Amino acid sequence: MRPWVWQSSLAMIAVAGVAGALILHARPLFFDDFAGTGLVTNEFAYHNPHDPRSVTSSRWVVTSGSLFRDHGTGWTGPPDSSAPDATSGNATNSDVFRAVTRSSFDDVSVSLRFRVDAMAPRAGADWTGMHLFLRYRDPFTLYVVSLVRQDGRVEVKKKTAGGASNGGTYYSLAGAAAAVTPGAWHRAEVSVRDEAGGVAIVVSIDGREVARVRDDGVGGPPLTGSGKVGLRGDFTQFHVDDFTVSAA
């Protein structure tokens, strides 16, 4: 083999190796396109993990409500306030919907497509809507980003243990008006990163940044380190798709 051919081959191998490394690096930490149709899992499975009738998921845990696949999208089902059976055939209890990933993550960017189908306005409950969990440790320790609320705002809050809100207290970190059209698909991207002793959270909807905040210890130490991500709904029916968690 001529020297220049050998050198060219080595160069091509090196480039291919770098490209392969970049592809591996870019692979998401978590992805769900909700392919298919049927129940993903529900709160019955959460409360009855050893019942052979339970429908479990290797990706999701639903602590309240029901999560379905609806022709290639994730769906809360029609919300109600009755306890579901093993298949959520009788009810969904998705009036209070809580779903989190089984895995925990450090600094990440979470992106998803979402569509709010219906919302039941409730007096004195502006937080009614669709939300995203970040750094979820337990029901009392987490960040929550409201993507859609009945008052038309995006809110970033932190919950710490101890208080009247299901055993915890919420602290508002940032808020802004956001235009989300019911019945239309939108895209959200939310990042959470440890940053010099604090936690930085950035929220974008349809490519436009709508909130940016840094938690330096509001209501308690910032939630640095790892935590789960997830979805929350309050008296709201919604669909999601292409739920992606990537390293930030």
Side-chain angles (χ1 to χ4, degrees):
M1 180 179 291
R2 294 184 177 87
W4 65 269
V5 174
W6 173 248
Q7 292 172 0
S8 177
S9 298
L10 288 177
M12 292 176 65
I13 292 171
V15 169
V18 171
L22 290 174
I23 290 171
L24 289 174
H25 179 71
R27 184 175 298 166
L29 303 173
F30 178 98
F31 176 73
D32 199 341
D33 61 0
F34 299 98
T37 298
L39 181 67
V40 176
T41 188
N42 60 7
E43 65 177 64
F44 181 95
Y46 175 71
H47 293 294
N48 302 277
H50 303 299
D51 192 316
R53 298 173 298 166
S54 292
V55 179
T56 60
S57 167
S58 61
R59 297 175 178 176
W60 297 97
V61 175
V62 172
T63 61
S64 181
S66 306
L67 176 62
F68 299 89
R69 298 182 187 90
D70 181 31
H71 299 90
T73 61
W75 180 39
T76 59
D80 58 50
S81 294
S82 298
D85 60 19
T87 62
S88 294
N90 65 318
T92 66
N93 203 31
S94 288
D95 273 344
V96 179
F97 178 84
R98 306 288 187 268
V100 295
T101 55
R102 286 192 178 276
S103 301
S104 294
F105 309 96
D106 295 316
D107 294 354
V108 292
S109 174
V110 181
S111 65
L112 68 152
R113 295 196 312 126
F114 67 94
R115 184 185 75 199
V116 171
D117 305 310
M119 185 185 301
R122 301 167 65 240
D126 290 340
W127 39 265
T128 293
M130 175 191 169
H131 323 273
L132 182 70
F133 287 131
L134 302 170
R135 297 281 170 88
Y136 181 104
R137 313 280 173 76
D138 53 49
F140 324 108
T141 313
L142 53 90
Y143 291 114
V144 61
V145 177
S146 298
L147 299 175
V148 183
R149 295 185 5 149
Q150 70 177 24
D151 61 359
R153 291 179 61 79
V154 166
E155 293 280 343
V156 181
K157 291 185 176 182
K158 173 180 167 183
K159 186 178 183 181
T160 60
S165 296
N166 189 32
T169 300
Y170 284 98
Y171 297 90
S172 182
L173 302 178
V180 174
T181 304
W185 283 97
H186 296 271
R187 178 172 290 279
E189 183 169 350
V190 181
S191 64
V192 56
R193 298 181 180 88
D194 292 345
E195 188 179 85
V199 175
I201 298 173
V202 181
V203 184
S204 297
I205 296 180
D206 296 331
R208 184 176 71 88
E209 184 178 305
V210 294
R212 178 183 290 265
V213 67
R214 176 186 160 94
D215 175 24
D216 285 314
V218 176
L223 306 182
T224 57
S226 64
K228 300 177 181 181
V229 301
L231 294 162
R232 166 180 161 176
D234 297 295
F235 301 91
T236 300
Q237 180 180 173
F238 63 84
H239 282 75
V240 297
D241 198 8
D242 298 335
F243 191 99
T244 307
V245 181
S246 303

